[in-house]
Amino acid sequence: MVVFVAGCPSVPAPDGPGSDDDDVVVEADEDDPSGPECVYRPPGDHRPGDDDDVHPDDDDDDDGDDDDGPVCPVYAEWSAAAPHDGSYALPWPSIADAIAHLPPGCLQIGLFPGTFEEAVDYGGLDLDIASLSGPEVTTITPPTGTAVTIAGDQSAAAALTGVTLTGGTGTAGFGALDVTVDYGGGLLVYESDPTTTACALSANEVDGFGGGGALYGFDGTFSGNLVQDNIAHRTHTGGGGGLRVTSSDGELTHNTFVGNQALGTSMDGGALEVVEGAPLIAFNRFEGNVASETGGAIRSADSGARILTNLFVANDPDGLVLTYGDDGPVAGNTFVDNTLYGITTRTCCGYSGPGPTSEVVDTLVIGSGVHGFAVREGVQALVLSHNDVWDSGTGGYAGMADPTEADGNLAVDPEFVSPFDLHLQLSSPVLSAGVDASGFGVAVDYDGVTRPAGGAWSMGAYEGP
């Protein structure tokens, strides 16, 4: 197998319980031979001098005696043969068994590669569940319902790492959620703040909201995940093919959303639907997502979502739709080749407010099929500054005055390195043509390069070449 260790390269490692394979020692950074070593051993294989965070045990003084009780973490391997004690050598045959037999004070569970055919419920505990070998070979697929449920006021200490969640159909009527609608095929978070990293939410499908996952009252972290090929469908009102995020102020960063769909009448947010709250949505890539109604990538409704430094590529019908009372900033993003529109606004259904009042700055909207910006319903109330709208099918703007050449707005070829590389060439006219967006929380570009890299800020997700 391959041991999954954040920050270390993947290398061959011991093959599992009872293996006699030798340790494998490699440098974390091959270009820095003085850097720290990555030592691949079973996480339960603690030796004197080991870092307890990496190889935890209860032998606090390294004298060979168990000071406090059983070793932690506990391990699970689907359908592992008896006997079981939760050790690395004798793992429990399911995650449910591992949870049921956690020793006092231990909340860590390590998963061997395999497909766990069960629905997992954190049961109000701050469980830390992590695969040993990554999401490519470690899967949770439920017989029905949601793959993983975290719903009991859990803190950020509750964690899920390196697992694929697939085949979920969602849960209806959880807490205050509608009993007639299914929520969260792969992941359901309710009034909890877990940390979900390096996971894949793939091929889940719900009749309702959040094909890949539904996060309700979530102030935690969802980062470095792949959300792919999930579907939310419904005959009327629903959305969030990839994720539905409601009344949440959490962070969604460094994720990839690809091929998700919100299908049916009034279905919005192919990749992501955000309703109320003010989550941070930053450093994500949205590509090839589809919504039947609006928001091929993102639909935001009555939220203060901070949409910063993302890539929106080839979403249908648009990259982003802002609706009702949205007022969060949209800064430093790149929109390319979205089917009809780059960014749209919309109000409907008896809404009498002013419409979205978000500030949109330092953003590139390139190659939209019809218009770069469009007010589809309601009135134009966005504040546009230092954006570039170029190569739209029938015009840069619709339903609003064209602001080109005012407030730093441009209509020029941004000169990407290539159609597949959205960095800017050194000759790009949008280099150093932006405005200081630090007040919105922008500090680095999509690559992590400090902004501004030169004398002034650049437009788009990349600060330069």
Side-chain angles (χ1 to χ4, degrees):
M1 73 178 187
V2 173
V3 172
F4 182 75
V5 180
C8 294
S10 297
V11 299
D15 289 329
S19 172
D20 292 326
D21 290 0
D22 294 331
D23 298 344
V24 178
V25 181
V26 299
E27 293 292 333
D29 184 350
E30 295 179 358
D31 296 326
D32 181 13
S34 65
E37 290 186 340
C38 295
V39 180
Y40 291 85
R41 297 201 306 271
D45 180 10
H46 183 94
R47 303 179 189 180
D50 278 349
D51 182 346
D52 282 342
D53 291 333
V54 178
H55 296 281
D57 75 347
D58 294 307
D59 183 10
D60 298 327
D61 53 12
D62 285 332
D63 64 356
D65 296 327
D66 184 344
D67 297 330
D68 303 311
V71 170
C72 183
V74 169
Y75 294 92
E77 181 177 20
W78 182 253
S79 297
H84 312 291
D85 64 7
S87 67
Y88 185 87
L90 300 172
W92 294 108
S94 71
I95 300 171
D97 283 315
I99 294 172
H101 293 90
L102 285 169
C106 180
L107 295 172
Q108 295 174 291
I109 298 174
L111 305 182
F112 282 99
T115 298
F116 291 81
E117 298 175 8
E118 57 183 318
V120 176
D121 191 330
Y122 275 47
L125 300 174
D126 277 342
L127 298 177
D128 182 354
I129 298 177
S131 70
L132 301 182
S133 303
E136 297 83 2
V137 294
T138 312
T139 299
I140 298 173
T141 181
T144 188
T146 298
V148 173
T149 300
I150 306 175
D153 198 27
Q154 281 96 337
S155 73
L160 182 65
T161 308
V163 180
T164 290
L165 310 180
T166 190
T169 57
T171 301
F174 197 98
L177 302 180
D178 190 334
V179 297
T180 67
V181 179
D182 293 323
Y183 294 81
L187 176 66
L188 175 61
V189 175
Y190 187 86
E191 298 292 358
S192 295
D193 306 325
T195 302
T196 304
T197 54
C199 290
L201 282 60
S202 177
N204 300 281
E205 184 171 346
V206 303
D207 181 10
F209 297 97
L215 313 179
Y216 184 97
F218 164 76
D219 295 341
T221 301
F222 186 88
S223 182
N225 303 290
L226 172 64
V227 182
Q228 182 173 24
D229 295 338
N230 301 284
I231 299 174
H233 57 78
R234 192 164 170 77
T235 55
H236 183 68
T237 66
L243 291 181
R244 180 35 146 54
V245 180
T246 307
S247 302
S248 300
D249 296 333
E251 298 185 356
L252 286 72
T253 64
H254 302 94
N255 304 291
T256 298
F257 294 80
V258 59
N260 302 286
Q261 301 178 74
L263 303 177
T265 305
S266 296
M267 292 293 285
D268 303 290
L272 174 62
E273 185 174 41
V274 181
V275 179
E276 302 176 340
L280 173 65
I281 302 170
F283 310 110
N284 303 288
R285 184 180 183 97
F286 299 91
E287 183 167 3
N289 302 284
V290 176
S292 296
E293 189 76 16
T294 62
I298 299 178
R299 185 245 183 168
S300 179
D302 269 334
S303 91
R306 295 161 289 156
I307 302 173
L308 313 175
T309 320
N310 301 282
L311 301 174
F312 296 80
V313 181
N315 300 284
D316 183 16
D318 46 15
L320 168 66
V321 61
L322 303 170
T323 64
Y324 305 118
D326 277 344
D327 59 6
V330 178
N333 301 282
T334 296
F335 292 77
V336 175
D337 294 340
N338 294 287
T339 303
L340 298 181
Y341 313 102
I343 299 175
T344 64
T345 66
R346 184 185 184 200
T347 59
C348 74
C349 315
Y351 179 79
S352 59
T357 58
S358 297
E359 294 187 55
V360 183
V361 304
D362 292 348
T363 289
L364 301 177
V365 184
I366 312 300
S368 304
V370 179
H371 300 291
F373 282 84
V375 177
R376 296 183 62 186
E377 293 180 54
V379 299
Q380 152 58 10
L382 297 177
V383 179
L384 306 182
S385 170
H386 296 81
N387 304 294
D388 180 31
V389 178
W390 173 252
D391 193 27
S392 301
T394 59
Y397 300 86
M400 59 192 298
D402 186 339
T404 302
E405 298 184 1
D407 297 317
N409 293 296
L410 303 176
V412 296
D413 183 348
E415 298 185 14
F416 294 130
V417 170
S418 79
F420 311 105
D421 184 346
L422 303 181
H423 289 81
L424 304 174
Q425 298 182 48
L426 286 173
S427 58
S428 170
V430 303
L431 279 174
S432 299
V435 67
D436 186 340
S438 59
F440 300 129
V442 178
V444 298
D445 76 353
Y446 194 87
D447 288 335
V449 174
T450 299
R451 307 188 94 155
W457 291 62
S458 295
M459 296 180 185
Y462 295 106
E463 184 66 12

